Amino acid sequence: GAAAASAGVEGAAPERGELRAVGAQICCCVLERARERMRPWPPLLLLSCWWWGLPPVLGRHYPHSAVLDGASRYRLSWAPQGSAVAFRLEVRTQGYVGFGFSPTGAMASADIVVGGVDRGKPYLQDYFTDADRKLKRDSQQDYHLEYAMENSTHTILVFSRQLHTCDVNDKSITESTVRVIWAYHDKDFRETGPNYHGSNRGTKSLRLLNPEKTAVTSPSLSYFDLTNQDVPIPDKDTTYWCQMFKIPTVHGKHHVIKVEPLIQKDHESMVHHILLYQCSSTLNDSVLDYGHECYHPNMPDSFLTCETVIFAWAIGGEGFTYPPHVGLSIGTAIDPQYVLMEVHYDNPSYLEGKMDNSGLRLFYTPDLRRYDAGVIEAGLWVSLFHNIPPGMPEFMSEGHCTLECLKEALDAEKPSGIHIFAVLLHAHLAGRAIRVRHFHNGDEQQLLAYDDDFDFNFQEFQYLKEERLILPGDNLVTECHYSTVNRSHMTWVRNYKLP
C-alpha cells in the first residue's frame, strides 16, 4: 500500500509558478454537482403526482451525486451538513425504494432504510440485516423523512441521518470508503413484508464526506491525449506496460488544470492504475517508437531515466481537477518534455486476445495559477523482503518518510514547507485499510488521510478539507493493513510490485 499526495503551497508571496512540492504527487477528483432547477411544464402535459414535505427542502443544494445503476434509473444525491448528511433518492419506480450501507457490499450485516409513497401516504423505515441477511426493523429509527413525491414514473425521497447514531445496528459515516447498497421494486413495501427486488439491486463504493469542489473548467479548454495504441494484454494476471510520450510543444509556460482517465470501454476492470513519470530532457524522439513491458530485463535504458511521478490514477477514480490556485506546469525548460506512462493491467481470468487503447487526457491553459503542483510519495518501498504470511486476518506494514529524509528534500527545494491538498491511497487485493500519520517535531498531528474500509476497485483521490503544511522536521508514517485469511500461500512481490 502507498499514499500519494499532491502538494500546492500557499505562503509568503512566492513568485508565480514557484515549485511547491518535492518529488511526489497527489491528485484530486471532480465530483458531479446536482442542482435542482424548477422547469416550466410543456403545454398540454398533465402529470399525476403526490408530494409530502416542506417546500424549503426542494431548494437544498446537493453538491454530490451518483447514478447507482447502469440503466440510470436510480440516482443518489447527498449533502453533508455538519454532523448529519441529507440524502435525495430519485428512482424510476412507483414501488418501494431501498438504500443502505454494507461492510462488504452484500446484504449481510447491513444498515438499510426503505421508503416510498403508498396510496398517497409516505413511509420511511429504518431496518438492518443480520449475518444471515434476515431483514429486521430497527428499534431505534435514525432516518428522518423530509420530503416524498411520487408521480406516474418516479419516486423521490429526501431524508437525513446523523453521521454517528450510537445505534449498534447502524453504520457510522466517516471519511472512509462507504459501500452503498440499493434496491427498488414496482410494488410498495407492506406490513406483510417486502416483495423481492430481484435483479433491481446493486452496490457502489463512494466517499460521502469529500468536500465540495468549486472549481469549474471551461468546455473550450485545450487538451492532449496520452493513450496506448493496440497494446496486447497478456493472458496472465498482472502486467505493467510502459510507453514513452512527448508533451506537445506550447509557447511559454502553461498549467495543466485537469486530468481525465480514458479507459477503453469494457476494460474498466482490467486497467488497475496509470502512473505518469517525468523523464530526462536529454532524450530524443527515437524513444517514442515503441512500448515495452515495465520492470523487464530487456526494457529500454531510456525508461530508467523516468523517476519522478507527476500524476497518478487508480481504478474506480474519476477525473482530477486541481484547485483554482494550483496547476501542473508544462512548457518551460525544467518541465516534462518526455513522459513515461505506466499502465497496470489486471487479468485474473487470463482472458486472451485483448487489445487496449486506454490512457489519460490532460487539459491545459495559458492562464497561470499562483502555484505549481507536484507529488510526494510516501509508503512502503517495493522490496522482495516485503511479504505477507497466509491465513492472516490482520497484518500491518509501515512505511516511514523519516524526519531526516524529508528535511533533506525540503531544505533543498522548499525550506518553507509544502502544502498537501489531496491524497490518493493505493493498495492491491490484500489491502484492507490505509492510514497516513503526520508528526511535527515529534508530536502526532491529526491523520493526514485514512481509509479504514479500503476497496480495491474504488481508489479515488481524497480532497483535504484544509490544506496541510508539511515542514522540515516533520515525518510521515504510512500504515498498510492487509488480510490474507483466504490465502494458503505467502503473498510475495511479483514484477517488483506487491499484489
Side-chain angles (χ1 to χ4, degrees):
S6 270
V9 182
E10 295 180 72
E15 296 296 325
R16 170 170 285 190
E18 183 178 353
L19 181 65
R20 298 296 184 156
V22 181
Q25 168 175 2
I26 290 187
C27 301
C28 312
C29 39
V30 180
L31 299 174
E32 178 187 358
R33 301 173 184 278
R35 301 180 187 272
E36 298 203 16
R37 296 180 174 88
M38 298 300 292
R39 296 190 176 116
W41 285 3
L44 304 179
L45 176 62
L46 299 178
L47 294 177
S48 61
C49 64
W50 192 97
W51 67 89
W52 175 91
L54 299 176
V57 174
L58 291 175
R60 175 185 285 144
H61 170 57
Y62 295 92
H64 311 300
S65 69
V67 175
L68 301 189
D69 67 321
S72 299
R73 297 175 64 93
Y74 196 123
R75 175 176 287 274
L76 163 69
S77 302
W78 71 95
Q81 298 180 320
S83 61
V85 181
F87 297 98
R88 181 183 187 274
L89 307 180
E90 181 178 331
V91 187
R92 191 175 182 85
T93 185
Q94 290 183 297
Y96 75 76
V97 174
F99 176 80
F101 310 107
S102 164
T104 63
M107 279 290 290
S109 304
D111 174 12
I112 296 171
V113 62
V114 179
V117 178
D118 184 12
R119 291 171 290 190
K121 182 179 180 181
Y123 62 94
L124 189 80
Q125 293 288 325
D126 186 353
Y127 292 86
F128 68 94
T129 57
D130 59 20
D132 296 322
R133 302 185 299 174
K134 185 176 180 180
L135 189 67
K136 301 178 180 181
R137 188 179 185 277
D138 199 331
S139 60
Q140 180 176 318
Q141 294 287 300
D142 294 304
Y143 292 85
H144 305 288
L145 182 64
E146 300 178 6
Y147 174 81
M149 188 277 286
E150 181 183 275
N151 61 21
S152 59
T153 60
H154 286 75
T155 295
I156 295 176
L157 299 174
V158 176
F159 54 89
S160 62
R161 61 152 279 188
Q162 294 293 307
L163 302 179
H164 309 284
T165 63
C166 299
D167 182 349
V168 295
N169 298 316
D170 289 347
K171 307 299 180 189
S172 289
I173 300 174
T174 69
E175 294 181 10
S176 295
T177 297
V178 175
R179 290 167 175 83
V180 167
I181 56 175
W182 57 269
Y184 64 91
H185 196 276
D186 60 1
K187 291 184 172 54
D188 277 296
F189 197 96
R190 300 289 170 82
E191 291 299 325
T192 55
N195 295 289
Y196 180 58
H197 46 65
S199 62
N200 296 326
R201 65 167 301 275
T203 181
K204 187 176 182 68
S205 288
L206 297 170
R207 191 162 284 115
L208 296 178
L209 299 188
N210 253 351
E212 178 181 359
K213 302 307 294 182
T214 57
V216 177
T217 56
S218 168
S220 62
L221 274 176
S222 299
Y223 66 85
F224 58 89
D225 294 344
L226 307 176
T227 56
N228 284 326
Q229 300 298 316
D230 292 329
V231 170
I233 302 176
D235 55 343
K236 59 180 182 178
D237 58 353
T238 296
T239 301
Y240 292 85
W241 184 262
C242 286
Q243 174 73 52
M244 282 280 196
F245 295 91
K246 188 175 184 178
I247 299 294
T249 300
V250 293
H251 299 291
K253 183 181 178 73
H254 288 62
H255 269 144
V256 173
I257 62 174
K258 182 179 180 181
V259 184
E260 289 184 348
L262 300 176
I263 308 303
Q264 183 171 323
K265 183 176 173 55
D266 299 326
H267 285 195
E268 291 83 0
S269 64
M270 301 183 75
V271 181
H272 178 262
H273 70 246
I274 302 176
L275 297 178
L276 203 61
Y277 294 86
Q278 179 172 349
C279 305
S280 170
S281 59
T282 62
L283 299 176
N284 57 57
D285 290 359
S286 64
V287 301
L288 306 176
D289 293 340
Y290 56 91
H292 199 282
E293 191 168 340
C294 314
Y295 314 107
H296 190 279
N298 295 327
M299 76 177 188
D301 291 341
S302 58
F303 289 9
L304 300 175
T305 73
C306 310
E307 297 182 332
T308 302
V309 176
I310 59 174
F311 185 75
W313 172 89
I315 187 170
E318 299 180 355
F320 165 74
T321 298
Y322 290 91
H325 57 298
V326 180
L328 176 64
S329 180
I330 59 173
T332 76
I334 62 172
D335 290 332
Q337 299 179 43
Y338 295 91
V339 293
L340 179 75
M341 186 173 73
E342 173 191 306
V343 180
H344 173 198
Y345 293 110
D346 193 34
N347 187 11
S349 299
Y350 296 87
L351 300 176
E352 298 179 355
K354 293 290 185 179
M355 307 288 284
D356 185 67
N357 296 275
S358 299
L360 300 170
R361 173 167 291 174
L362 289 78
F363 296 84
Y364 63 97
T365 176
D367 299 324
L368 299 182
R369 270 86 185 283
R370 185 175 184 184
Y371 302 112
D372 287 353
V375 177
I376 180 169
E377 295 178 275
L380 294 167
W381 184 258
V382 177
S383 166
L384 290 171
F385 295 103
H386 184 205
N387 51 73
I388 306 173
M392 299 291 291
E394 166 70 19
F395 187 92
M396 186 185 76
S397 296
E398 288 185 351
H400 290 256
C401 184
T402 63
L403 182 154
E404 296 79 13
C405 181
L406 192 56
K407 184 178 188 303
E408 180 180 350
L410 291 177
D411 283 346
E413 297 198 42
K414 194 57 193 169
S416 61
I418 57 175
H419 279 230
I420 306 298
F421 55 82
V423 179
L424 173 63
L425 301 174
H426 177 65
H428 289 238
L429 287 169
R432 295 295 182 270
I434 308 175
R435 291 181 159 229
V436 185
R437 302 167 65 189
H438 174 207
F439 295 82
H440 176 65
N441 291 332
D443 296 326
E444 184 162 11
Q445 310 298 299
Q446 182 179 352
L447 283 171
L448 180 60
Y450 72 93
D451 192 342
D452 291 334
D453 294 292
F454 180 80
D455 183 349
F456 170 81
N457 291 306
F458 178 71
Q459 303 191 36
E460 187 179 55
F461 301 107
Q462 293 186 21
Y463 293 95
L464 303 189
K465 292 182 174 64
E466 296 181 357
E467 294 181 359
R468 180 74 65 89
L469 179 62
I470 306 294
L471 294 165
D474 291 4
N475 64 291
L476 303 173
V477 178
T478 304
E479 294 181 351
C480 298
H481 298 256
Y482 303 98
S483 173
T484 57
V485 68
N486 295 320
R487 299 188 180 189
S488 56
H489 302 285
M490 291 288 290
T491 297
W492 298 93
V493 172
R494 285 179 291 178
N495 290 339
Y496 301 97
K497 297 287 181 176
L498 182 67

